[in-house]
Amino acid sequence: MKAKMILTTIAAACMSFSVMALTINEAKSQGMVGENSTGYLGVIKGSGDVKKLVADINKKRKAKYQQLAKKNGISLSQVEKLAAEKTYKKTSSGHFIQVNGKWVKK
């Protein structure tokens, strides 16, 4: 009985590790996230782990965008708009982008 509980715990830990190890490219390939019209990632579908991944990346993006805005003497919204244009162009075919508020495959 105790061995069964240990195996169940190990299996649960392995499954949660694999979910936590999800990369942004995997999430994009699986249609869980996409590039939105404001230069950030958006969640299309997914669990709390996907939402956490997106929040972490968006936090880093925003910090970088703020640095760029300050360095270049422009507004954050201008940097976000430029970033959105750039990420749309760089998004791989088959991944999602947000167009007019709707998620579409590129």
Side-chain angles (χ1 to χ4, degrees), residues 52-87:
K52 183 181 180 326
L53 175 67
V54 167
D56 289 344
I57 290 171
N58 284 343
K59 182 178 177 181
K60 291 174 185 173
R61 283 189 181 184
K62 186 170 187 173
K64 184 66 174 176
Y65 295 168
Q66 288 171 325
Q67 285 178 339
L68 290 168
K70 184 176 181 179
K71 180 181 175 183
N72 293 291
I74 59 176
S75 70
L76 175 61
S77 63
Q78 287 173 302
V79 174
E80 290 168 337
K81 182 180 178 185
L82 293 169
E85 292 170 7
K86 186 174 181 178
T87 56

Side-chain angles (χ1 to χ4, degrees), residues 15 20 22-23 25 35-36 42 58-59 62-63 72 80-82 92 94 99:
M15 287 191 308
M20 289 172 47
L22 182 70
T23 68
N25 287 332
E35 296 290 344
N36 69 27
N58 284 343
K59 182 178 177 181
K62 186 170 187 173
N72 293 291
E80 290 168 337
K81 182 180 178 185
L82 293 169
S92 299
V99 178

Side-chain angles (χ1 to χ4, degrees), residues 3-21 49:
K4 187 175 182 180
M5 287 176 54
I6 292 170
L7 288 174
T8 302
T9 303
I10 291 170
C14 289
M15 287 191 308
S16 65
F17 177 75
S18 66
V19 171
M20 289 172 47
D49 291 329

